[in-house]
Amino acid sequence: MEQFVKYTGLVAPLDRANVDTDQIIPKQFLKSIKRTGFGPNLFDEWRYLDEGFPGQDNEKRPKNPDFVLNKPRYQGASVLLTRRNFGCGSSREHAPWALMDFGFRAIIAPSYADIFYNNCFKNGLLPIVLPEATVDGLFKAEAANTDFQLTIDLANQQVITPDGQAIGFEIDEFRKHCLLNGLDEIGLTLQQGDAIREYESRRRAAEPWIFQEPQQQ
Amino acid sequence: MAGKTLYDKLWDAHLVTEREDGSALIYIDRQIIHEVTSPQAFEGLRLAGRQPWRSGASVATIDHNVPTTPFNNASDIVDDTSRIQVQTLQDNTRQFGITEYGIGDVRQGIVHVMAPEQGAVLPGMTVVCGDSHTSTNGALGCLAHGIGTSEVEHVLATQTLVAQKMKNMQVRVEGDLGPGVTAKDVVLHIIGVIGTAGGNGHAIEFAGSAIRSLSLEGRMTVCNMSIEAGARAGMVAVDDTTIDYVRGRPFAPKGADWDKAEAYWRGLVSDADAEFDTLIEIDAADIRPQVSWGTSPEMVVPVDGLLPDPADEADEVKRSGMERAYQYMGLKPGIKTSDIQLDRVFIGSCTNSRIEDLRAAAQVAKGHKKADSVKQVLVVPGSGLVKQQAEQEGLDKIFIEAGFEWRQPGCSMCLAMNPDRLQPGEHCASTSNRNFEGRQGNGGRTHLVSPAMAAAAAVAGHFVDIRDLAPADQTA
Ligand code: SF4
């Protein structure tokens, strides 16, 4: 996993609440058996005027000129600014994969759906929670300035605006540690293999039925 | 010290280690695997040269994108990507020694229908699956929730999950449910009251006399939609209904183990003095049959109510959400639910595709025909075993005589990954759980209802109040 240290990027404003994962990456693209290549279909139903399906040449599809990510000023955006309850709906991890494949490294919103929030960390995408009023202020500041860039300093838990204002944010220590160091969670957990085995033998004695193996026939 | 909630007990029993920051490693007793969210997890294992920690803890089936018309081999699936996923699951389960109920196996079906049916999910377990409706299984008094693909890989490799303890919420529904009011109406009503973010960060325990009065299948319907109320996990405490449901299932303990298990399971209830972070109390008498009108599961009205006016909504974000929903749905505030003309009806999904759901729909459909204006009524049983049971009871004949289509088990039009889907602009009465934009097909318009309401709507061509039908047609 890529390390997330200090990062400055162009902000794209997606002024909608309750953006669900069906909208982030429509279900027809879930059929891939890979982890990459979802970026061109991020927000597919909003970005393109036709119906998307896997295997299309997305370059040739008619784009919706009104959709934020299609506007020239947001090309190369890597920080997504959005409204409350982002990532609700289906648990598909393709949503953070698509956001990252497109080029986003961080999201700023007042709140996220739980599963989506978890999935972001597992893939090195940073979901930042800021109060509703602060997010509103960022939307206004962005609207008033082209090329609005924010610096995200994960180590110090700060979002820094172009005029130097530092906005603090909260983040779970362990998740921060993993993001900062690009640590793979499975490897970390396997370091505790003895504790898992010990737990298993206790349970096996008390509740043997849990360990009954399924029968193929 | 206050007593423990059911969730506290399940959490404590599965704690392997706790970390200083409050996160924990919890042991996972059962993982359910399907073709869509698992390929990248297996790919990850292979890339890292890892093996499953305990392959016997997993059980797999195919559901999300299998066709619901008969087929014999993966190679019969026309859609390329669906076929590849079904084949990939077969290859992966074989390579890693995991049991799969695949094509042609009578046990194949929707993950959350198959697993409890087999007894692969038991009270007191922790259960995960790469599908957000895993909460369905919490009806058995276990901790069950959806996880993402990286977590599927993590559980495969370590049999544990890194988790944060959630907050405790109890939704207590007291009193008697009125005639025609089903488990689906109960949960839609709850979501209408607390909203789609109401349960965020919580594990919900559904309790109260109205929940107790539900069958185990009804409880599954309620727990199924926990995620639509914002909560990853929903659960119901163990009682006689739970024990009776589990007894005799293929994976259930037998003999002396059974007695020991039952004694343990009986303790899986919240202590009388347990404290909840959030308590919601609902009067069962307030619950009427529900219809969703918009593009979020909280946008519901009672069948005899009028569609709400966004102008009456004080919250600006909600108001614009409602306006957008009206535009998408092609509907106007103030109309009656019976004014909504339906193009298709879908009876199925992990919310409502069990035998009791099919019985309820069949009871309404019996002796009637679908309205001419309705193009298609799909009835999709949740598993091969549900299908078999329904056919033994003659339900398939009732549906076919009514002009409904009787299909093979799978997720089908719940998410339209297979050929079953809505055309743009079509309105569908659906027993599934999500009415998001495009969920049942690009531009499709979903209305969530109970199986009985869906069947009645199929016959009338529009929504009707199930309570107005002749008593013989009513289902409680
Ligand atoms: S029926 Fe629908 S909600 Fe249930 S598992 Fe299948 S796709 Fe998910």
Side-chain angles (χ1 to χ4, degrees):
Chain A
M1 206 166 78
E2 213 178 317
Q3 286 175 300
F4 192 112
V5 191
K6 193 166 171 176
Y7 180 79
T8 302
L10 176 68
V11 176
L14 183 66
D15 196 355
R16 290 178 183 237
N18 299 312
V19 172
D20 65 68
T21 53
D22 274 325
Q23 285 157 339
I24 297 174
I25 180 80
K27 60 191 164 279
Q28 60 269 35
F29 302 106
L30 270 55
K31 294 184 168 187
S32 160
I33 56 166
K34 296 270 175 277
R35 286 168 180 262
T36 51
F38 296 101
N41 302 108
L42 175 72
F43 301 122
D44 196 274
E45 284 184 24
W46 292 333
R47 248 165 97 193
Y48 302 97
L49 296 168
D50 62 347
E51 190 180 349
F53 53 85
Q56 267 163 314
D57 183 353
N58 294 295
E59 288 299 319
K60 298 214 175 95
R61 296 173 59 197
K63 291 203 168 65
N64 173 4
D66 296 329
F67 184 61
V68 51
L69 296 184
N70 288 333
K71 294 186 181 164
R73 72 182 269 190
Y74 297 117
Q75 296 317 300
S78 58
V79 177
L80 185 68
L81 179 65
T82 187
R83 301 287 185 180
R84 70 168 90 141
N85 201 27
F86 187 79
C88 59
S90 145
S91 60
R92 66 192 64 159
E93 202 155 336
H94 308 67
W97 291 341
L99 286 158
M100 292 202 70
D101 199 59
F102 180 87
F104 286 113
R105 298 296 315 276
I107 314 173
I108 300 174
S111 64
Y112 301 86
D114 292 347
I115 297 179
F116 175 80
Y117 187 76
N118 280 324
N119 285 341
C120 285
F121 286 102
K122 296 184 196 312
N123 291 283
L125 180 64
L126 174 61
I128 299 172
V129 180
L130 291 178
E132 196 120 27
T134 311
V135 169
D136 214 46
L138 289 174
F139 267 103
K140 293 206 175 87
E142 190 289 321
N145 297 283
T146 47
D147 197 32
F148 184 74
Q149 307 222 3
L150 288 173
T151 297
I152 291 149
D153 181 352
L154 177 59
N156 293 306
Q157 300 181 210
Q158 286 179 336
V159 175
I160 302 154
T161 63
D163 53 14
Q165 192 202 341
I167 307 165
F169 62 88
E170 294 296 316
I171 181 172
D172 172 86
E173 272 305 316
F174 178 67
R175 285 173 162 156
K176 176 174 156 184
H177 172 76
C178 289
L179 272 186
L180 284 173
N181 298 292
L183 283 178
D184 164 329
E185 265 193 271
I186 294 178
L188 271 169
T189 300
L190 287 173
Q191 292 173 353
Q192 295 178 290
D194 287 343
I196 302 171
R197 271 182 287 271
E198 192 205 314
Y199 172 89
E200 263 180 343
S201 60
R202 251 188 296 139
R203 282 289 297 293
R204 209 181 276 273
E207 296 166 68
W209 56 87
I210 299 285
F211 297 85
Q212 193 197 318
E213 305 262 319
Q215 300 299 313
Q216 191 78 41
Q217 206 49 61
Chain B
M1 219 182 82
K4 286 183 177 185
T5 66
L6 169 59
Y7 171 60
D8 294 337
K9 292 182 185 181
L10 293 168
W11 174 268
D12 291 350
H14 290 88
L15 212 50
V16 178
T17 55
E18 268 177 301
R19 294 182 167 134
E20 276 173 23
D21 63 356
S23 71
L25 207 56
I26 61 166
Y27 191 79
I28 300 302
D29 297 322
R30 179 75 67 215
Q31 171 151 238
I32 320 168
I33 291 173
H34 65 85
E35 75 278 19
V36 176
T37 52
S38 67
Q40 291 93 346
F42 286 113
E43 184 195 9
L45 282 188
R46 260 192 303 268
L47 289 173
R50 290 174 175 139
Q51 284 296 319
W53 181 273
R54 185 162 75 82
S55 47
S58 297
V59 47
T61 193
I62 42 171
D63 58 358
H64 277 60
N65 58 31
V66 293
T68 56
T69 44
F71 67 106
N72 299 319
N73 292 298
S75 56
D76 295 346
I77 302 175
V78 182
D79 181 77
D80 287 340
T81 37
S82 297
R83 186 179 61 247
I84 290 169
Q85 287 189 336
V86 168
Q87 266 162 352
T88 304
L89 183 66
Q90 231 168 50
D91 297 344
N92 283 329
T93 51
R94 279 184 197 152
Q95 182 187 342
F96 291 107
I98 291 167
T99 299
E100 183 195 351
Y101 302 139
I103 299 167
D105 192 314
V106 74
R107 295 166 292 189
Q108 175 266 327
I110 304 174
V111 274
H112 316 308
V113 176
M114 171 279 285
E117 196 170 70
Q118 291 303 314
V121 169
L122 296 169
M125 275 186 168
T126 41
V127 181
V128 294
C129 174
D131 182 281
S132 49
H133 291 92
T134 308
S135 57
T136 314
N137 300 285
L140 284 150
C142 55
L143 176 57
H145 58 75
I147 54 175
T149 299
S150 301
E151 289 172 312
V152 172
E153 185 185 339
H154 191 278
V155 175
L156 278 168
T158 71
Q159 213 50 49
T160 63
L161 190 66
V162 178
Q164 294 275 346
K165 189 160 183 210
M166 299 179 259
K167 285 192 275 187
N168 277 292
M169 174 186 273
Q170 192 177 51
V171 176
R172 197 177 290 165
V173 189
E174 296 286 358
D176 296 329
L177 296 173
V181 177
T182 68
K184 183 65 163 286
D185 304 302
V186 172
V187 71
L188 286 173
H189 178 92
I190 292 170
I191 296 164
V193 171
I194 72 172
T196 50
N200 274 8
H202 290 81
I204 302 182
E205 181 190 345
F206 296 97
S209 58
I211 300 292
R212 295 255 146 259
S213 74
L214 294 174
S215 68
L216 201 100
E217 293 191 3
R219 296 173 188 185
M220 288 192 207
T221 302
V222 174
C223 290
N224 175 272
M225 291 190 72
S226 302
I227 190 73
E228 276 66 46
R232 290 176 76 188
M235 62 196 78
V236 176
V238 172
D239 63 5
D240 289 342
T241 305
T242 326
I243 302 293
D244 291 344
Y245 177 90
V246 174
R247 189 179 282 121
R249 305 235 161 224
F251 284 74
K254 314 258 162 3
D257 269 356
W258 170 266
D259 297 336
K260 200 173 153 195
E262 183 182 342
Y264 171 59
W265 294 341
R266 294 259 179 207
L268 295 173
V269 299
S270 290
D271 294 333
D273 57 345
E275 278 171 21
F276 290 87
D277 300 289
T278 312
L279 181 65
I280 309 280
E281 292 184 86
I282 287 176
D283 185 351
D286 292 342
I287 307 177
R288 290 174 277 168
Q290 304 282 306
V291 176
S292 80
W293 61 267
T295 52
S296 163
E298 68 187 16
M299 296 175 176
V300 286
V301 283
V303 62
D304 55 353
L306 302 177
L307 269 55
D309 190 341
D312 299 335
E313 176 57 60
D315 182 310
E316 202 186 313
V317 177
K318 276 196 180 166
R319 185 164 63 238
S320 68
M322 287 172 76
E323 281 160 1
R324 211 191 296 271
Y326 273 115
Q327 210 176 19
Y328 181 84
M329 297 297 287
L331 296 172
K332 294 211 163 47
I335 65 167
K336 297 191 288 237
T337 61
S338 55
D339 294 335
I340 302 171
Q341 297 299 315
L342 297 165
D343 302 290
R344 289 179 207 263
V345 175
F346 171 60
I347 298 171
S349 88
C350 58
T351 320
N352 284 126
S353 64
R354 297 177 184 81
I355 191 67
E356 291 173 14
D357 300 315
L358 301 186
R359 285 181 194 141
Q363 197 170 346
V364 173
K366 192 169 187 170
H368 298 287
K369 286 255 180 290
K370 80 165 177 68
D372 288 339
S373 56
V374 173
K375 291 176 214 160
Q376 184 183 44
V377 184
L378 279 182
V379 186
V380 185
S383 71
L385 284 168
V386 171
K387 179 166 184 280
Q388 201 173 55
Q389 174 73 25
E391 288 171 356
Q392 272 164 19
E393 295 178 21
L395 306 184
D396 56 326
K397 298 213 174 51
I398 295 175
F399 291 131
I400 292 164
E401 273 161 29
F404 298 8
E405 294 173 33
W406 178 242
R407 293 295 187 93
Q408 303 293 316
C411 296
S412 181
M413 209 196 273
C414 174
L415 88 170
M417 277 182 92
N418 77 354
D420 309 336
R421 53 176 57 220
L422 300 180
Q423 297 302 309
E426 286 183 342
H427 286 268
C428 177
S430 176
T431 66
S432 57
N433 44 48
R434 287 196 169 140
N435 52 353
F436 299 150
E437 291 183 20
R439 169 80 176 183
Q440 294 192 293
N442 194 22
R445 295 158 168 168
T446 302
H447 299 278
L448 305 174
V449 288
S450 73
M453 285 281 291
V459 168
H462 55 79
F463 290 111
V464 288
D465 192 336
I466 192 80
R467 297 168 301 178
D468 295 341
L469 299 183
D473 283 350
Q474 285 187 4
T475 42

